[in-house]
């Protein structure tokens, strides 16, 4: 489904990804974890062409992702992306936020786009919010709307970049519940997160990154029971202590 081969990226003289390779199968849920600044967010942003890379190749569903972001737009529309800070348009209603890309990218009629949006809003428990503006919603509600907006594009995979890190603790659960349901339904998902409870419940494999490198890839149970690298053991001891 998604294959990353030898991915490297720098900002000027600062390397942020070093020869990263990973394969994610259809229907698989992979969690990417590691210390802050380890390259996790950049890695997932490269996967759908938001961030260009200097070296390596990304293949999505058999198609090589072009190196230029503009050329990658068509493939990007097939891979949903949910960001840390929601990225909703504040001047548009919930319905308008969800329908915009459906109409302009997928060329759906407004009626079809709105019907899709309403079905998904019911699914995440926000059917009564279609006329609201993002500023009228809680952080947890905004993030669920962001997930709906991505799902409305009928993606073949979903990427999540620390989707709960900007939320108050009481809102985290409502977002993770939606993500867990997606995982159980067989959505291909790559999730950058520090929520280790979600990782244990949903992920088939864990990718541990540090200093721009993939240090370890392991089945979830094995990673938590017996990580093979000292860096991963230290990371787990710190994060699970909180």
């Amino acid at each position: 489904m998604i294959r990353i081969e030898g991915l490297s990226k720098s900002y000027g003289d600062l390397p942020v990804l070093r020869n990263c390779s990973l394969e994610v199968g259809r229907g698989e849920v992979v969690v990417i974890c590691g210390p802050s600044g380890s390259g996790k967010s950049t890695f997932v942003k490269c996967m759908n062409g938001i961030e260009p890379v200097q070296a390596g190749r990304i293949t999505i569903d058999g198609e090589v992702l072009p190196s230029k972001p503009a050329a990658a737009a068509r493939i990007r529309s097939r891979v949903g992306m949910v960001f840390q800070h929601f990225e909703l348009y504040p001047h548009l209603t919930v319905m308008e936020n969800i329908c915009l890309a459906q109409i302009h990218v997928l060329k759906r009629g407004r009626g079809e786009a709105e019907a899709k949006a309403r079905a998904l809003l019911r699914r995440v428990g926000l059917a009564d919010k279609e006329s609201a503006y993002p500023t009228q919603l809680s952080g947890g509600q905004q993030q669920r709307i962001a997930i709906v907006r991505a799902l409305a594009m009928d993606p073949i995979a979903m990427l999540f970049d620390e989707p709960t890190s900007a939320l108050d603790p009481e809102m985290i659960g409502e977002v993770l519940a939606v993500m867990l349901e997606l995982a159980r339904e067989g959505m291909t998902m790559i999730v950058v997160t520090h929520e280790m409870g979600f990782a244990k419940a949903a992920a088939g494999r864990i990718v541990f990154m540090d200093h721009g490198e993939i240090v370890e890839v392991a089945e979830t149970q094995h990673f938590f029971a017996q990580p093979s690298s000292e860096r991963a053991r230290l990371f787990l001891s710190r994060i699970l202590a909180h």
Side-chain angles (χ1 to χ4, degrees):
M1 166 65 82
I2 298 175
R3 176 182 294 174
I4 299 102
E5 301 168 276
L7 206 65
S8 295
K9 178 177 177 62
S10 299
Y11 292 119
D13 295 330
L14 177 67
V16 288
L17 295 175
R18 308 168 190 259
N19 195 31
C20 295
S21 297
L22 179 68
E23 287 194 36
V24 179
R26 193 178 304 275
E28 189 175 10
V29 178
V30 172
V31 160
I32 301 175
C33 64
S36 296
S38 58
K40 308 181 300 294
S41 292
T42 302
F43 190 42
V44 294
K45 288 176 181 175
C46 289
M47 288 183 202
N48 74 341
I50 294 174
E51 289 278 2
V53 298
Q54 280 78 44
R57 185 166 74 164
I58 301 168
T59 306
I60 297 172
D61 205 24
E63 192 169 359
V64 176
L65 187 71
S67 58
K68 296 182 178 179
R74 181 181 57 80
I75 300 176
R76 187 188 308 135
S77 70
R78 304 181 67 207
V79 181
M81 182 90 194
V82 177
F83 299 91
Q84 179 177 347
H85 293 291
F86 326 135
E87 306 293 343
L88 298 174
Y89 294 109
H91 63 290
L92 299 180
T93 66
V94 164
M95 179 61 73
E96 290 166 340
N97 264 284
I98 299 168
C99 290
L100 187 66
Q102 292 190 73
I103 292 169
H104 291 284
V105 178
L106 298 185
K107 308 302 181 185
R108 282 182 180 150
R110 183 167 298 277
E112 182 184 0
E114 290 183 354
K116 181 83 173 179
R118 288 191 178 101
L120 289 167
L121 285 170
R122 286 195 298 272
R123 179 173 168 182
V124 301
L126 294 173
D128 60 335
K129 299 298 183 184
E130 66 175 67
S131 299
Y133 287 88
T135 54
Q136 298 172 315
L137 304 174
S138 70
Q141 289 171 333
Q142 289 186 65
Q143 194 60 294
R144 282 185 282 165
I145 297 299
I147 294 172
V148 164
R149 180 178 59 181
L151 290 174
M153 300 295 286
D154 296 327
I156 59 172
M158 289 280 286
L159 309 177
F160 295 84
D161 182 17
E162 302 204 28
T164 61
S165 63
L167 300 179
D168 293 331
E170 64 270 19
M171 298 176 187
I172 290 173
E174 63 193 44
V175 173
L176 291 179
V178 172
M179 294 170 61
L180 192 57
E181 186 64 25
L182 285 175
R184 288 170 176 161
E185 291 174 359
M187 174 63 76
T188 306
M189 296 167 60
I190 301 174
V191 184
V192 175
T193 186
H194 290 295
E195 296 293 336
M196 294 297 101
F198 171 81
K200 289 178 179 179
R205 286 187 299 156
I206 307 292
V207 176
F208 176 74
M209 294 185 68
D210 195 13
H211 293 100
E213 298 177 325
I214 293 178
V215 177
E216 184 171 346
V217 181
E219 292 185 0
T220 300
Q221 187 173 355
H222 180 79
F223 178 78
F224 283 103
Q226 196 173 5
S228 60
S229 65
E230 181 58 35
R231 281 189 279 179
R233 284 194 287 272
L234 182 60
F235 170 78
L236 280 178
S237 69
R238 287 173 174 168
I239 200 167
L240 295 177
H242 292 292

